[in-house]
Amino acid sequence: MLYPQNNRFRTTIDLSGFWQIRSDANDDGLKNEWFHGFTPEAEIAVPGSWNEQLSELGYMNYVGKMWYQTRFSVPDTLRENRHFLHFGSADFHALVWVNGNFAGEHSGGYLPFEFDISDLTESAKDNLLVVCVDNLLTHDTIPQGITEENFREFNKERDQSFPSTVFDFFAYGGIHRPVKLIGMPQSHLQKIRLEPVISAADGILKYRAEINVSPRNARLELALFNGENCIMRQQAEASGEEFSGELKIENCKFWSPENPHLYRLRFTLHVNGEAVDEYFLETGVREIRIEGEKLLLNGRPLFLKGFGKHEDFDVLGKGLSHPVIVKDFQLMKWIGANSFRTSHYPYAEEIIQMADRMGFLVVDEVAAVSLNFKYVTGKTLENHKQAITELIGRDCNHPSVIAWSIANEPGIWGEEEALSDYARKYWKEIYDHSKSLDVSRPVTLPTCPRLGEEDPGYKFVDFISVNRYWGWYEIPGNLEEAGNFFRKELENLYEKYKKPILVTEFGADTIEGEHATYPQLFTEEYQAILIQTYFDIIESLPFMAGEHIWNFADFRTAQHHRRLVLNKKGVFTRQRQPKVAAFSIRKHWLREK
């Protein structure tokens, strides 16, 4: 599946805007055939979460099915084209109908899906699009859900949130990224895979392109552009439904944070000598690998400075906002960061595209957050592998993506099943599956300390990632003792596994405007001092691959007595205003400039 674009053969029409909506807490929609159209309760902006938009109607904490409908027209100029509906994401399950006819369904949030609706659309009238979105999570889904009974089974009633979630961010519901109608030629490119390789001063771009049919006399023409200049052309003949080959770029400009140089590739499909489709890709040439205790980019040691983040903003929820994307990247540049992790799910592809252009390094994470192995099923594993397949398929061509994160903090409940043979087999299967899809990037898995040094996540990864809160959740207030404990733990982990270590989370909840002259939890000064304590330890150890602060900005969580509406660990507020720590971090990260 290729990201939608407009060119001389492809037309993309954005269907975003105001849609009509109706809740379905009693599962009446299918029974009463709402897919033929329904009486709406309200209007809603797409993309966007329903929670804060419609909180006055009682939907802030709504979990269940929500029906959407809108109408769209197909221009006469697209009459001879194939018609596709492309959804950037819908969380977490979606059923789609066009003119009352079932178009398809998709399970799993945060990733795109599309359906060929060519046989369902009519050019002479408005077409009715109906979507049923369900944000209910279960033991089988990625991410997993949790029930009140599960909290009781673990004797953790005091930890229960509302709505019930096993993870510490809000489970927004809705169509969170744009919906687009795409007109494409009958014969078209449907998948392109690039693999960059560095050979001395030269770059090699291996490519593989798939088409939707296997036409005779098909030919692919490639043109490589450096800026406005075409520097190379190549042709390839089809082998069934696939083309493959490689481009050698002499004296290549390698992509890096300091110089995020992008080449532009044009793929033109010819059938019987006539051009019938075209697609453009921007990509960079770079290599990421591990040697001993070092993470290397283009053969040079790499140290990651950045954040865990969330797609979260006032009113929008997880809805895509281009101005928020721009603001976040500018703030990360201002503070001196060079990287971030897409905690705890894939972000919008527009964010990854911006990272490509601005030179940010991305640890790209699948939405397998806080897996509880007491409840893991064969279906969980199946959905987990499918989510990884979709993530790698979407983001494999982005030079900014330097690693895949296959989960976050499994076993956080301390269940004994998380250390079982089944769990070890599970993680080996997930790791092997990820590597079968992409051998060019390392795989990691951020862990919590609950399972100790025998955490299976340490064995089945290329580099270790740890989330640690010494000085906050453990040993609160005593930063000297917390720092000593943290340093010793890192040294022990490296001694045992001999792999580079990235600290993917550390931080402290901080209420903006709270101050103290002594170490006081929740004050802005305590956050700044804790972060500096971690910097000093991490940067003193030669096997460390980087430091990612938790979190970039405050974000909404489910209701819980530990949270003041938001998780307040951001160094920026939810509205992107800096706390005291932001200035000390900037001074530290930019100290060499």
Side-chain angles (χ1 to χ4, degrees):
M1 186 191 315
L2 298 172
Y3 182 80
Q5 66 178 222
N6 284 299
N7 59 43
R8 59 181 175 144
F9 296 104
R10 294 170 175 243
T11 300
T12 297
I13 301 172
D14 196 344
L15 303 183
S16 303
F18 296 112
W19 294 33
Q20 295 176 325
I21 198 168
R22 182 173 179 176
S23 62
D24 188 14
N26 297 320
D27 287 340
D28 294 325
L30 285 175
K31 179 177 57 179
N32 294 325
E33 299 186 348
W34 290 1
F35 46 82
H36 289 295
F38 56 84
T39 303
E41 288 178 303
E43 290 196 339
I44 189 170
V46 172
S49 304
W50 65 60
N51 309 82
E52 288 185 54
Q53 282 193 73
L54 301 179
S55 59
E56 288 74 22
L57 298 182
Y59 295 130
M60 183 67 233
N61 300 299
Y62 177 74
V63 177
K65 294 182 174 65
M66 190 75 80
W67 289 71
Y68 291 73
Q69 66 183 10
T70 191
R71 292 187 176 272
F72 66 94
S73 298
V74 178
D76 286 343
T77 53
L78 301 183
R79 185 173 296 173
E80 302 302 320
N81 290 62
R82 304 299 298 174
H83 304 148
F84 290 81
L85 268 179
H86 181 98
F87 292 76
S89 72
D91 297 337
F92 295 96
H93 183 83
L95 300 165
V96 180
W97 293 263
V98 175
N99 296 326
N101 300 298
F102 186 61
E105 66 180 306
H106 181 262
S107 293
Y110 313 114
L111 285 163
F113 56 96
E114 67 183 25
F115 306 118
D116 187 338
I117 60 169
S118 306
D119 298 331
L120 308 181
T121 54
E122 298 182 32
S123 297
K125 70 168 191 176
D126 282 346
N127 294 271
L128 175 66
L129 171 58
V130 176
V131 184
C132 177
V133 178
D134 192 343
N135 69 331
L136 177 67
L137 296 170
T138 71
H139 293 158
D140 296 337
T141 59
I142 296 294
Q144 275 186 314
I146 195 166
T147 66
E148 295 180 22
E149 291 76 14
N150 299 150
F151 280 100
R152 288 196 291 270
E153 286 178 41
F154 273 86
N155 194 29
K156 288 182 176 289
E157 290 92 340
R158 284 178 56 83
D159 289 329
Q160 185 174 347
S161 58
F162 178 73
S164 289
T165 56
V166 71
F167 43 81
D168 190 32
F169 59 94
F170 201 86
Y172 290 104
I175 300 174
H176 286 141
R177 295 168 193 160
V179 182
K180 298 178 179 179
L181 174 67
I182 309 171
M184 282 196 282
Q186 296 293 332
S187 297
H188 56 264
L189 294 155
Q190 63 179 9
K191 187 182 297 185
I192 298 172
R193 178 69 184 269
L194 302 176
E195 182 182 342
V197 178
I198 290 178
S199 177
D202 301 331
I204 298 171
L205 276 175
K206 299 180 180 179
Y207 65 86
R208 188 172 70 249
E210 296 179 15
I211 52 179
N212 65 317
V213 292
S214 183
R216 295 181 180 179
N217 303 318
R219 176 172 53 87
L220 187 66
E221 181 182 274
L222 289 84
L224 180 68
F225 293 84
N226 186 11
E228 297 300 318
N229 300 319
C230 181
I231 61 174
M232 191 183 310
R233 294 183 184 273
Q234 188 178 105
Q235 294 187 3
E237 302 296 326
S239 174
E241 299 172 8
E242 184 175 294
F243 302 87
S244 61
E246 62 181 44
L247 301 169
K248 183 178 181 180
I249 310 170
E250 296 181 352
N251 297 313
C252 183
K253 294 183 178 180
F254 302 132
W255 186 97
S256 69
E258 298 77 22
N259 181 27
H261 187 81
L262 295 174
Y263 291 92
R264 195 167 188 239
L265 265 171
R266 183 181 68 200
F267 297 82
T268 306
L269 176 64
H270 295 258
V271 177
N272 295 322
E274 180 183 357
V276 298
D277 189 26
E278 197 165 72
Y279 195 81
F280 293 86
L281 266 181
E282 282 192 328
T283 193
V285 178
R286 59 98 188 97
E287 275 190 338
I288 184 79
R289 55 190 172 90
I290 293 171
E291 284 188 5
E293 64 186 24
K294 297 298 183 183
L295 189 63
L296 303 178
L297 177 68
N298 303 337
R300 300 176 62 183
L302 180 64
F303 190 83
L304 303 178
K305 302 178 295 182
F307 297 94
K309 293 179 85 272
H310 269 295
E311 288 182 306
D312 178 273
F313 200 75
D314 287 343
V315 182
L316 304 173
K318 278 191 166 19
L320 177 73
S321 167
H322 293 97
V324 173
I325 293 173
V326 170
K327 182 65 173 179
D328 284 1
F329 274 94
Q330 291 301 324
L331 284 173
M332 286 192 290
K333 276 287 188 184
W334 173 84
I335 207 170
N338 66 6
S339 57
F340 61 90
R341 175 170 60 118
T342 70
S343 45
H344 298 294
Y345 41 81
Y347 293 172
E349 192 167 359
E350 291 83 354
I351 295 175
I352 310 301
Q353 291 167 350
M354 182 71 82
D356 291 342
R357 295 192 294 271
M358 294 190 68
F360 278 86
L361 304 161
V362 179
V363 178
D364 211 353
E365 189 161 281
V366 76
V369 53
S370 303
L371 281 180
N372 188 318
F373 274 86
K374 182 178 178 65
Y375 306 121
V376 161
T377 68
K379 188 66 175 176
T380 314
L381 175 61
E382 179 184 331
N383 287 332
H384 195 164
K385 291 168 72 174
Q386 180 60 32
I388 289 173
T389 299
E390 293 181 15
L391 172 63
I392 294 177
R394 190 195 73 168
D395 289 348
C396 60
N397 295 328
H398 292 286
S400 59
V401 176
I402 61 165
W404 306 114
S405 175
I406 54 178
N408 178 76
E409 294 189 351
I412 194 171
W413 288 58
E415 69 276 16
E416 61 183 21
E417 291 85 353
L419 290 171
S420 65
D421 288 340
Y422 174 75
R424 293 183 179 90
K425 291 177 182 177
Y426 183 102
W427 290 120
K428 185 177 188 308
E429 190 165 343
I430 289 294
Y431 175 85
D432 290 345
H433 178 69
S434 303
K435 283 296 189 180
S436 73
L437 297 171
D438 181 19
V439 297
S440 70
R441 292 175 176 90
V443 168
T444 194
L445 194 173
T447 65
C448 64
R450 189 64 60 87
L451 301 181
E453 293 182 7
E454 300 305 317
D455 192 318
Y458 297 139
K459 181 178 180 181
F460 301 113
V461 291
D462 299 310
F463 66 90
I464 289 172
S465 294
V466 296
N467 301 341
R468 294 298 185 266
Y469 291 96
W470 308 115
W472 185 252
Y473 293 125
E474 295 88 11
I475 320 178
N478 188 339
L479 289 177
E480 182 177 359
E481 183 181 352
N484 291 335
F485 199 99
F486 178 55
R487 178 187 292 274
K488 186 63 176 176
E489 183 189 26
L490 293 176
E491 292 172 340
N492 290 344
L493 282 174
Y494 180 73
E495 183 63 28
K496 184 176 181 66
Y497 293 99
K498 301 296 185 184
K499 298 177 181 180
I501 301 176
L502 169 66
V503 182
T504 36
E505 292 185 23
F506 62 98
D509 281 273
T510 306
I511 302 172
E512 61 273 20
E514 288 295 322
H515 301 282
T517 58
Y518 52 89
Q520 174 63 56
L521 300 182
F522 290 99
T523 63
E524 295 194 48
E525 288 76 16
Y526 188 83
Q527 181 187 42
I529 295 169
L530 182 146
I531 289 171
Q532 187 61 52
T533 299
Y534 274 71
F535 282 169
D536 293 343
I537 294 168
I538 292 167
E539 294 169 18
S540 70
L541 300 172
F543 50 80
M544 298 304 296
E547 52 201 22
H548 276 179
I549 299 164
W550 189 261
N551 190 283
F552 172 74
D554 296 344
F555 57 92
R556 182 177 285 278
T557 70
Q559 295 183 58
H560 191 273
H561 60 77
R562 291 189 308 166
R563 295 286 173 247
L564 302 174
V565 182
L566 308 175
N567 184 310
K568 302 288 288 182
K569 293 187 181 67
V571 302
F572 298 96
T573 68
R574 198 184 191 205
Q575 296 76 32
R576 279 37 179 188
Q577 298 301 310
K579 301 177 186 177
V580 164
F583 297 95
S584 60
I585 294 165
R586 182 175 190 265
K587 182 178 180 180
H588 181 83
W589 278 347
L590 296 177
R591 65 192 183 280
E592 296 177 358
K593 295 186 177 182

